[in-house]
Amino acid sequence: MQILAAGILTPTEITIFLLALAVLLGMARLLGEVAKKFGQPTVLGEILAGVILGATVLGNVSSETYSWLFPEYLADHQSGNDIYYDKLDPNNDNQPYTVGAIDPSTGEAITLTIPDKPGAEVDDKADGRRVPSLVKVGLESFFVLSVCLLLLVAGLEVDLSIVTKQGKAAVAVSLMGMIVPFVIGFGVAYLLANNAADWIGYNEDSDKALPFALFLGIAMSITALPVIAKILLDLNMFKSDMGMLIMSSAMVNDLLGWIGFAMVLAMITPPGEATMDLQFVIFATLLFVGFMLTAGRYLANKTIPLVQAHSSWPGGILGFVFVLALLCAALTEWIGIHAIFGAFLAGIALGDSKHLTARTRETIEQIVTYIFAPIFFAGVALRIDFINNFDFVIVIIVLVVAIIGKVFGCYIGAKIAGLSKRESWAIGFGMSARGAMEIILGQIALSFELITEELFVAIVIMAIATSVIAGPLMQKALDRRQQKRFADLLSGKAFVSRLKAVTRKDAIQELAQVAATVTGVEATAISDAVWEREQTMSTGIGHGVAVPHGRIGGLAKPQLIVGVSPAGIDFDAGDGVAAEIICMLLTPTEDQLAQIEMLRAVAEAFSDPARHRSAVEAEGYTQFRAAISVGSAPAH
Amino acid sequence: MQILAAGILTPTEITIFLLALAVLLGMARLLGEVAKKFGQPTVLGEILAGVILGATVLGNVSSETYSWLFPEYLADHQSGNDIYYDKLDPNNDNQPYTVGAIDPSTGEAITLTIPDKPGAEVDDKADGRRVPSLVKVGLESFFVLSVCLLLLVAGLEVDLSIVTKQGKAAVAVSLMGMIVPFVIGFGVAYLLANNAADWIGYNEDSDKALPFALFLGIAMSITALPVIAKILLDLNMFKSDMGMLIMSSAMVNDLLGWIGFAMVLAMITPPGEATMDLQFVIFATLLFVGFMLTAGRYLANKTIPLVQAHSSWPGGILGFVFVLALLCAALTEWIGIHAIFGAFLAGIALGDSKHLTARTRETIEQIVTYIFAPIFFAGVALRIDFINNFDFVIVIIVLVVAIIGKVFGCYIGAKIAGLSKRESWAIGFGMSARGAMEIILGQIALSFELITEELFVAIVIMAIATSVIAGPLMQKALDRRQQKRFADLLSGKAFVSRLKAVTRKDAIQELAQVAATVTGVEATAISDAVWEREQTMSTGIGHGVAVPHGRIGGLAKPQLIVGVSPAGIDFDAGDGVAAEIICMLLTPTEDQLAQIEMLRAVAEAFSDPARHRSAVEAEGYTQFRAAISVGSAPAH
C-alpha cells in the first residue's frame, strides 16, 4: 500500500493511531477503575494497562499484534525495509555515504562511496538510526503534550499562600523530609555506582556517576501531591491543621524537588545531543524559576480578570491557561531541561490566582486526569518489558531506601516542629507516597539514558508500592478510619426499587426481610430493633429521606438497606415531607462509630436536590446507583 | 544536532511542536474572540489565524520562520538533504533501486542499480515521497484527533427525538432544503467540469467528474448546526416552535449530508491508495450507520447508567465517551470512508441518551470547542496560500449557488409545511449558514485530491460568508432584534466602582452625573426623569439589585450606568435587602422595547448569587466585568 499524497498519514496509519489511543485509554480507564475499587491508586491500573498491551504481555503473547498496533519504525512501502537516517559519523559532516551496490560492468557486489546522497545505506545498521513509524511519532507527540498537561495540573494544585500560612512547621517537615532521603539516596547510589554498579542498575560505561547519584537522591526526596491529597480527603483530614501542614510540606517538597531535577538534567547531555553550556542552562533555569514564582505569579493574577472580562467564558480563560502552559513548556525545553518544568511553573503561577474559578480548574483537571493521564501512563509502560527488566536486588534497595529515608526524614521534621510522636509517624507515612510524579521523573531520566530499564522498573514499583501503603499506614498511626461514601455502602442485593409498603411499620418490615437474607440475622429481630428505635423518635430527616436504624446483636458488619417509594411514606419528618428514600442502617452492637458514619454518608449523598430527584425516578438498582454517583466525586 | 537516542523526538522537535501548538492556539483564540466581539462566527477568526501564521502571510513575509515553526519534511541531520521513500514504480515491487554514485576506479559520476536497498535516491525527486518532518506528523496526528472530537461534539448535539416530534414540517424543510441545493450544485458542477473546468476549479486530469459533482452537490446541501443554534439563541428563539423546527431540520440535513459525503468518498480511491471494493465500502457504511442509529443508540442508552453506576464520576463516563468515539472513528477509517463519520455517529448514539448529564456534555464541549477546534481550524488554513489560490470566478459561482440553492430550497419546504412567507424566508436564511462543518468537508475532499486548492479556498470563503449573513438576514426577515447581554451593555466609562451616595436620591443624582458625560444629555434632565419614575414605584428588584430607570428625550441610544455600593442603599425592595448594585437604565423616549430588554439582561446577569457576590466585591471595572462574565456563557 502506498502513501496518501495530500495527507501526511495513510488511512492505515490513521486507523492504527486512533485505535491505539482508544485501546490505551479504554484499558487504562478500566484497570484504573478496578484498582480504585480495591482502594488502590488509579495509576497502578493505568501502568498495568501498558504492561498488558505492551512489550511485557502482548509483545510476548502475540508480537505480531503488538508491533502492528504500536509500530516502531517506518518501513519502505515497496521493499519493507526500515528507513535509516543519521548513519554517519556525527563528528564528520562531510563524510560521503557508503553503499553496497552492483557493479554495472561485472555484475558483482561492491562497496561504493556516494557524495552527498541522503538516505543511502551503510553496512552496519547499528550505526544509523531508523526513522520511527509515523504512528509512533503521533503517539509520542501526544504523550509529550499529556505529560506537560499533567504537570500543569500538578502546578495548579500548588498553593504557595497556604505554605506561608503554615510557616515554620511546614518548612521543618519539608526540608527534613527532603534532606534525609536525598542524602541517603545520593550516598547509596554513589557508593553502589562506584563499587557494585549491578546492585543499583548503574551503567558503568555512561561515566555519569555524579548526576546519576544526584538523580536518585532527588527521586527519593520528591513526594506525590495528588496521592497525598486523596489520602487526606479519604480520612476527612484535608481541611484539618495536620492536613494543611502535610499539604504545604508536600508543595514545598514538590517545588524544590522539580527544580533540583531540572538542575540534574542540565548537568547531563542527552545522548546524541550537542553539548550545551552548563552555566547557561543553570542560569536560565534559575532565572525562569525566579521570574515565574514572583513576577509571573503577579502578572498571572492581574491578567486572568482581564482575560475573563474581555472574552467569552470559559473559552478565553481555557485558551489562556493552555497557551501559557505550552509556551512555558517550549521555553524550558529550549533552555535544555525538559518541557514539563515550564508547564509545572505555569501551573503554579496560574493556580495561585484567586480569580481562576473552581469551575475552570475542574474542567482542565477532569480532562487531564481522565483522558490524557491514563493514555500517558499506559504509554509509559508500553515499551518496557517489566518481567525481563525486573531485578530483585535493585527493587529491594530502591524500596528500602525510599521508605526509610522519607519516613524518618519527615518524622524528624515533624518532631522538630513540635508534633506528637503519633502524628509525626503519620506525616512520615503520608509523605512517603510517590505516585505518578515519581514515574514521570523516572521516565524522563530513562529517556535521557541516565538510568537503565531495570532501575526504571524498580522506580515504578517503588512509586506504586509507597502510594499503596501510605494510606493504610497513616490510618493506623492515627487510628482513624477511612470515610465510607454512600456508593461504597450500596449493594444490589440490599436494595428495593419499589417499596410495596405504605406505612412506616410496613416499610421497616419489608426492608428487614431484605436485610435478613443479606445478613443472615432473623428478620423479626431486625424489624423489632429498628421499630423500637423508631418509636422513641421518628427518623425522617427531611427532604424526603428517612433513616430508620438499629443496633443488631450478632451482625457481622454495618449494613445499609435502601428502599425507594415514589409515592412517599410518612416518617414524621420535621419538614412534613413524606420519605421517598428510606435508608435502613443496621450496625453491630459493639461498633460505636459506624452508625454516625453511615448517617453522614446518607446526608452527603442526598444533599443535592437534583441527584435526589433522579434517584427517586431511577428504574432499578443500576440507574439508582448511577443517579447518586453522578456529580458526587471529590476533586481528587 | 543529532537525534535523542531513547526518545523519538529531539529536544528541538519537542520545542517546535509545543511552540507551534501554543502559537496556533493563542492566535486562533485571540482572533476568534475578536471575531466574536464584532458579532462574527468564531471560526472566521480561527481560519484567519492560520492564514496569518501560514503560507499566505508568514510564509511570504518570512519563509524561514514559517518553515522553522511548521517544518514540512524530515531532513538528514548530517547532510541536510530530505529523506525519501516510496520512490519506485508502485506496480513493480521488485524493481531495483537506481543511485547516482562515484565510480571508485575512475572517479567519475555514474548511475548504479542497487538491489533491495531501501532509501536510496533516484534522479527524479518528483517520483518519490519525502518523509514528513516529525513535528508535522505530530501536529497532523493532533489535527486528526481534533477533527474526530469536533464531529463527536457535533453528533452529541443531534437529538433525534426532537426530530420525530417535529414530524412532517421538519421532513419537508430538511428534504427540500437538501434536494434543491444538491440538484443545483450537482448540475452546475457537472456542467462546468465537463465544459468550463476552470470556472469551478475542476482538475480535468483527475477524471472524476461524477464524484466531483456529487461532492459539490452535497457541499451545497449541508448546514451548520452549531452556527444555527447560536443564531437562534441570540434571537431568543431556540426554544420556540420555529427554533425547534429549524434545529430538527438542520439535524436531519446534517445526518443525511454526512452519510452522502461518506458515499462519495467511498466512490473515489485516495491518491496512491490501493483500489478498494466499492460495494464493500458502501455496504459496510450503510450497515454501520444503520447499526449506530438503532442498536447503537439503544445500547449506549443502556450502557451509560451502568458506567456511571460502577465507576468514579466523571472519569468513567468521560473515558467511555472518548473510547467509543475513537473506536468508531478507527472503524470507519478502516472501512475506507473517513474517521470523522465514526466519531459523528458515536456522538449521535451517545447524545440521544438522557442519562448523559449536562455537566459531562459541557466538559467535553468546552475542551473541544476552545482547545481542539481552534488549533484544528488554524491548522486547516496553514498550508494553503489563500491569496494565490483565490479565484474570483470560482468564489462567485460557489457563493451564488450555495446561497440561492439553500435559501430557495428551504423556503419551498417551509411553504409546503404551511409556514408564512416571512417565516419561510427566515428559515431559508438561517439554514443557509454552513460554518465549520463545510470547512471540514472541504478539507477532507482536498486531502482526497477531489478538489483543487482554488475550490477549497472558495468553499472556506462561502462557509464563512453564509455564516456571517445568516443571522442579520434572519433578524430582518422576522423583524426581531438580537438579545443584548449584560456584558454587552457595560462600559468602563459608565461605571462607578464605589458610590459615595447613601440615599436613593443621591445615588440617582450621582449616576446621572456620569450618564451626562457619557451621553451628552444634561444631568438634571436625567436625574429628574429617573427620580420622577422612582417615586411612582420603587425599583429595588430584590437580591440587592436596583434598576432606577427613565425614558429620556434626546437620548441617541439606550444607556446603562452601573454603580456599586458595598454598604447598600435602600431602594425599598420587596425582600427588604439594600441594593448593592444599582443599574440605571436610560432609554430613548421612542424606543418601546429597549427598557424591557435591558431589565431582562440585568436580571439574568445577577441570577447567580455567587456571581452577584464577586461583582460587589470587585475592585474596579475589570474585576467587575470579569465577575459578571464568569460562568454566564450559554452552551453555544
Side-chain angles (χ1 to χ4, degrees):
Chain A
M1 185 188 289
Q2 240 196 327
I3 281 282
L4 184 67
I8 303 304
L9 303 164
T10 62
T12 310
E13 283 164 344
I14 292 177
T15 305
I16 296 176
F17 173 67
L18 294 171
L19 190 63
L21 281 183
V23 171
L24 285 175
L25 177 59
M27 187 70 103
R29 282 299 307 132
L30 186 72
L31 296 184
E33 289 293 337
V34 171
K36 202 167 175 177
K37 275 268 186 294
F38 287 95
Q40 304 307 330
T42 321
V43 73
L44 168 61
E46 294 166 348
I47 290 282
L48 213 57
V51 168
I52 292 174
L53 293 170
T56 319
V57 177
L58 184 62
N60 282 316
V61 173
S62 164
S63 68
E64 221 167 277
T65 313
Y66 168 64
S67 49
W68 177 81
L69 190 57
F70 305 108
E72 280 279 348
Y73 300 111
L74 185 65
D76 188 271
H77 291 271
Q78 258 86 48
S79 65
N81 287 332
D82 294 335
I83 295 172
Y84 281 72
Y85 64 143
D86 282 338
K87 308 193 64 171
L88 301 173
D89 182 354
N91 299 320
N92 184 355
D93 275 12
N94 299 316
Q95 187 180 318
Y97 283 54
T98 311
V99 288
I102 303 293
D103 189 314
S105 45
T106 65
E108 272 172 33
I110 51 168
T111 298
L112 284 177
T113 299
I114 305 177
D116 195 40
K117 288 291 171 193
E121 188 160 356
V122 289
D123 291 328
D124 184 6
K125 293 205 176 193
D127 278 358
R129 284 182 41 71
R130 278 177 282 186
V131 176
S133 130
L134 302 194
V135 172
K136 185 172 186 178
V137 176
L139 289 175
E140 210 61 41
S141 309
F142 190 84
F143 295 159
V144 166
L145 185 63
S146 301
V147 72
C148 288
L149 295 180
L150 263 161
L151 267 286
L152 166 69
V153 167
L156 286 175
E157 279 166 1
V158 172
D159 181 353
L160 292 179
S161 65
I162 79 156
V163 175
T164 47
K165 271 181 217 143
Q166 293 293 324
K168 266 189 281 184
V171 174
V173 172
S174 59
L175 282 190
M176 291 309 290
M178 290 203 77
I179 292 171
V180 175
F182 176 82
V183 170
I184 300 183
F186 175 83
V188 169
Y190 198 75
L191 219 70
L192 290 180
N194 285 318
N195 298 297
D198 275 358
W199 289 18
I200 194 74
Y202 171 67
N203 173 12
E204 287 173 280
D205 298 335
S206 75
D207 197 27
K208 285 186 285 202
L210 182 64
F212 172 81
L214 284 174
F215 164 74
L216 260 192
I218 287 167
M220 295 300 147
S221 64
I222 69 153
T223 196
L225 208 48
V227 177
I228 291 173
K230 169 83 172 56
I231 295 173
L232 293 171
L233 281 169
D234 279 351
L235 298 178
N236 201 18
M237 290 176 58
F238 191 80
K239 299 263 171 206
S240 71
D241 280 355
M242 189 168 164
M244 282 291 110
L245 173 60
I246 294 185
M247 283 302 289
S248 50
S249 308
M251 284 171 192
V252 175
N253 206 316
D254 247 25
L255 183 62
L256 295 179
W258 285 104
I259 294 173
F261 184 46
M263 294 292 119
V264 173
L265 290 187
M267 287 177 62
I268 57 164
T269 307
E273 181 74 36
T275 312
M276 270 178 298
D277 183 355
L278 177 61
Q279 275 161 357
F280 164 77
V281 178
I282 291 184
F283 177 75
T285 304
L286 291 180
L287 191 74
F288 178 68
V289 171
F291 176 83
M292 288 304 281
L293 293 184
T294 54
R297 279 171 72 199
Y298 177 83
L299 288 174
N301 191 39
K302 286 282 157 197
T303 316
I304 292 171
L306 263 178
V307 170
Q308 294 187 148
H310 297 289
S311 69
S312 57
W313 194 86
I317 187 65
L318 284 178
F320 180 69
V321 170
F322 276 77
V323 169
L324 192 71
L326 289 169
L327 280 180
C328 291
L331 181 68
T332 50
E333 182 76 36
W334 173 79
I335 287 176
I337 43 180
H338 193 286
I340 54 166
F341 300 110
F344 181 60
L345 285 164
I348 293 180
L350 291 164
D352 266 8
S353 170
K354 68 177 166 45
H355 299 301
L356 194 70
T357 61
R359 183 71 188 76
T360 307
R361 290 167 198 260
E362 214 184 305
T363 301
I364 298 171
E365 213 172 83
Q366 286 178 357
I367 286 292
V368 172
T369 311
Y370 296 121
I371 306 296
F372 288 94
I375 295 177
F376 173 76
F377 286 113
V380 160
L382 205 59
R383 307 277 174 189
I384 311 284
D385 190 327
F386 275 75
I387 294 174
N388 284 331
N389 289 301
F390 181 88
D391 185 310
F392 196 71
V393 175
I394 302 176
V395 169
I396 290 294
I397 290 178
V398 168
L399 257 178
V400 169
V401 171
I403 294 172
I404 290 183
K406 197 73 179 183
V407 173
F408 275 95
C410 292
Y411 177 83
I412 296 166
K415 288 298 290 179
I416 293 173
L419 274 78
S420 77
K421 221 169 177 174
R422 182 173 267 230
E423 287 172 324
S424 301
W425 282 122
I427 288 181
F429 293 135
M431 296 277 287
S432 79
R434 301 313 205 290
M437 290 298 124
E438 184 79 50
I439 297 172
I440 293 174
L441 196 104
Q443 201 257 339
I444 293 168
L446 181 67
S447 81
F448 271 67
E449 291 189 351
L450 188 60
I451 61 174
T452 57
E453 297 201 342
E454 284 83 3
L455 182 50
F456 175 71
V457 168
I459 286 176
V460 170
I461 292 171
M462 180 273 277
I464 292 173
T466 51
S467 306
V468 168
I469 61 172
L473 284 178
M474 211 174 147
Q475 264 176 56
K476 194 131 201 188
L478 289 174
D479 199 18
R480 278 185 91 99
R481 64 168 137 188
Q482 201 172 328
Q483 276 199 323
K484 282 250 185 332
R485 296 188 34 234
F486 188 70
D488 302 330
L489 301 168
L490 262 187
S491 103
K493 281 183 199 148
F495 179 79
V496 183
S497 175
R498 294 284 175 263
L499 281 172
K500 288 178 206 80
V502 289
T503 69
R504 233 191 315 176
K505 189 163 187 184
D506 289 349
I508 288 171
Q509 278 173 347
E510 195 176 343
L511 290 172
Q513 286 293 344
V514 177
T517 59
V518 180
T519 61
V521 179
E522 221 177 302
T524 49
I526 295 172
S527 60
D528 287 355
V530 175
W531 181 240
E532 197 182 315
R533 163 66 192 78
E534 188 69 28
Q535 280 169 311
T536 63
M537 196 199 198
S538 71
T539 58
I541 55 172
H543 300 289
V545 178
V547 285
H549 51 268
R551 298 200 173 174
I552 312 291
L555 196 68
K557 60 182 182 61
Q559 180 68 48
L560 167 76
I561 323 280
V562 176
V564 178
S565 165
I569 297 169
D570 184 13
F571 267 80
D572 203 12
D575 62 2
V577 177
E580 297 167 310
I581 295 175
I582 296 106
C583 302
M584 187 191 263
L585 317 176
L586 307 177
T587 46
T589 329
E590 56 283 2
D591 192 335
Q592 303 293 324
L593 277 168
Q595 201 168 70
I596 209 134
E597 281 184 2
M598 287 170 89
L599 263 170
R600 193 203 48 73
V602 170
E604 185 197 66
F606 298 106
S607 57
D608 176 1
R611 209 186 298 156
H612 177 99
R613 184 75 1 245
S614 49
V616 172
E617 287 164 2
E619 288 159 19
Y621 176 66
T622 300
Q623 285 194 15
F624 181 85
R625 198 181 165 95
I628 61 116
S629 300
V630 163
S632 68
H636 292 279
Chain B
M1 185 186 287
Q2 242 196 327
I3 281 283
L4 184 68
I8 303 304
L9 302 163
T10 63
T12 311
E13 283 165 344
I14 292 177
T15 305
I16 296 177
F17 173 67
L18 294 171
L19 191 63
L21 281 182
V23 171
L24 284 175
L25 178 59
M27 187 69 105
R29 282 300 306 134
L30 186 72
L31 296 185
E33 289 293 336
V34 172
K36 201 168 175 175
K37 275 270 186 290
F38 287 96
Q40 304 308 330
T42 321
V43 72
L44 167 60
E46 293 165 350
I47 290 280
L48 214 57
V51 169
I52 291 173
L53 293 170
T56 318
V57 177
L58 184 63
N60 281 315
V61 172
S62 163
S63 69
E64 220 166 277
T65 314
Y66 168 64
S67 48
W68 177 80
L69 189 58
F70 305 108
E72 279 280 348
Y73 299 111
L74 185 66
D76 187 271
H77 292 270
Q78 259 87 48
S79 64
N81 287 332
D82 294 336
I83 296 171
Y84 280 70
Y85 66 142
D86 281 339
K87 310 192 62 172
L88 301 174
D89 182 353
N91 299 319
N92 184 354
D93 276 12
N94 298 315
Q95 186 179 321
Y97 283 54
T98 310
V99 287
I102 303 293
D103 189 315
S105 45
T106 65
E108 273 171 34
I110 51 168
T111 298
L112 285 176
T113 298
I114 305 176
D116 193 42
K117 287 292 168 190
E121 189 161 354
V122 289
D123 291 327
D124 183 7
K125 293 205 173 192
D127 278 359
R129 286 183 40 73
R130 279 178 283 185
V131 177
S133 130
L134 302 194
V135 172
K136 186 173 185 178
V137 176
L139 289 174
E140 210 60 40
S141 309
F142 189 83
F143 295 158
V144 166
L145 185 63
S146 300
V147 72
C148 289
L149 295 180
L150 263 161
L151 268 285
L152 166 69
V153 167
L156 286 176
E157 280 166 2
V158 172
D159 181 353
L160 292 179
S161 64
I162 78 155
V163 175
T164 47
K165 270 182 215 142
Q166 292 294 322
K168 265 189 281 183
V171 173
V173 172
S174 59
L175 281 190
M176 291 310 290
M178 290 202 78
I179 292 171
V180 176
F182 176 81
V183 169
I184 299 183
F186 174 82
V188 169
Y190 198 74
L191 219 70
L192 290 180
N194 285 317
N195 297 297
D198 275 358
W199 289 18
I200 193 74
Y202 171 67
N203 174 13
E204 287 174 279
D205 298 336
S206 75
D207 197 28
K208 284 186 284 203
L210 182 65
F212 172 81
L214 284 173
F215 163 74
L216 260 192
I218 286 167
M220 296 299 148
S221 63
I222 69 153
T223 198
L225 208 47
V227 177
I228 292 174
K230 169 84 171 56
I231 295 172
L232 293 171
L233 282 169
D234 280 351
L235 299 177
N236 201 19
M237 289 176 58
F238 191 81
K239 299 261 171 208
S240 70
D241 280 356
M242 193 168 159
M244 282 291 111
L245 173 60
I246 295 185
M247 283 301 289
S248 50
S249 306
M251 285 171 191
V252 175
N253 207 317
D254 248 26
L255 183 63
L256 294 179
W258 285 105
I259 294 173
F261 184 48
M263 294 293 118
V264 174
L265 290 187
M267 286 177 64
I268 57 165
T269 308
E273 180 73 36
T275 313
M276 268 177 299
D277 183 355
L278 177 62
Q279 276 162 355
F280 164 77
V281 178
I282 292 185
F283 176 74
T285 305
L286 292 180
L287 191 73
F288 178 67
V289 171
F291 175 82
M292 288 305 280
L293 293 183
T294 53
R297 281 171 71 198
Y298 176 83
L299 288 175
N301 191 40
K302 286 283 157 195
T303 316
I304 291 171
L306 262 178
V307 170
Q308 294 188 147
H310 297 290
S311 69
S312 57
W313 194 86
I317 187 66
L318 284 178
F320 179 70
V321 170
F322 276 77
V323 169
L324 192 71
L326 289 168
L327 280 180
C328 291
L331 181 68
T332 51
E333 183 75 36
W334 173 79
I335 289 176
I337 43 180
H338 193 287
I340 53 167
F341 301 109
F344 181 60
L345 286 164
I348 294 180
L350 291 163
D352 266 8
S353 170
K354 68 175 167 48
H355 299 303
L356 194 68
T357 62
R359 183 70 189 76
T360 307
R361 290 167 198 261
E362 217 184 302
T363 301
I364 298 171
E365 213 171 81
Q366 287 178 357
I367 286 291
V368 172
T369 311
Y370 296 121
I371 306 297
F372 287 94
I375 295 177
F376 173 76
F377 286 113
V380 160
L382 206 60
R383 308 276 174 192
I384 311 284
D385 190 327
F386 275 74
I387 295 175
N388 283 331
N389 289 302
F390 181 87
D391 184 310
F392 197 70
V393 175
I394 302 177
V395 169
I396 290 295
I397 290 178
V398 168
L399 257 178
V400 169
V401 171
I403 294 171
I404 290 184
K406 197 72 177 188
V407 173
F408 274 95
C410 292
Y411 176 84
I412 296 166
K415 288 296 290 178
I416 292 174
L419 274 79
S420 77
K421 223 170 176 174
R422 181 172 268 228
E423 289 173 323
S424 300
W425 281 122
I427 288 181
F429 293 135
M431 295 279 285
S432 80
R434 302 310 207 288
M437 290 298 124
E438 183 80 50
I439 296 172
I440 293 175
L441 196 103
Q443 202 258 338
I444 293 168
L446 182 67
S447 81
F448 272 66
E449 291 188 352
L450 188 59
I451 61 174
T452 58
E453 297 201 341
E454 284 83 3
L455 182 51
F456 175 70
V457 168
I459 286 177
V460 170
I461 292 171
M462 180 274 275
I464 291 173
T466 51
S467 305
V468 168
I469 60 172
L473 284 178
M474 211 174 147
Q475 262 176 56
K476 194 130 201 189
L478 289 174
D479 198 17
R480 279 186 91 100
R481 60 169 142 189
Q482 201 172 327
Q483 277 200 324
K484 283 248 187 327
R485 295 186 38 231
F486 188 70
D488 302 330
L489 301 168
L490 263 186
S491 105
K493 281 183 201 149
F495 179 78
V496 183
S497 176
R498 292 284 176 263
L499 281 171
K500 289 179 205 78
V502 289
T503 69
R504 229 190 318 177
K505 192 166 186 178
D506 288 351
I508 288 172
Q509 278 171 348
E510 194 176 343
L511 290 173
Q513 287 292 345
V514 177
T517 60
V518 179
T519 61
V521 179
E522 222 178 299
T524 49
I526 295 173
S527 60
D528 287 357
V530 175
W531 181 240
E532 196 184 313
R533 164 67 191 78
E534 188 70 28
Q535 280 170 312
T536 63
M537 195 196 197
S538 70
T539 58
I541 55 171
H543 301 290
V545 179
V547 285
H549 52 269
R551 299 198 173 174
I552 313 291
L555 195 69
K557 61 180 180 65
Q559 179 68 49
L560 168 77
I561 323 281
V562 176
V564 179
S565 166
I569 298 170
D570 184 14
F571 266 79
D572 203 14
D575 61 2
V577 177
E580 297 168 312
I581 295 175
I582 296 106
C583 301
M584 187 192 262
L585 317 175
L586 307 176
T587 46
T589 329
E590 58 282 1
D591 192 335
Q592 303 292 326
L593 277 168
Q595 202 168 70
I596 208 131
E597 281 184 1
M598 286 169 88
L599 263 169
R600 194 203 45 73
V602 171
E604 185 196 66
F606 298 105
S607 57
D608 177 1
R611 211 186 298 154
H612 177 100
R613 185 69 10 239
S614 50
V616 172
E617 286 164 4
E619 288 159 20
Y621 176 66
T622 300
Q623 284 195 13
F624 181 85
R625 200 183 162 93
I628 61 114
S629 299
V630 163
S632 68
H636 291 279

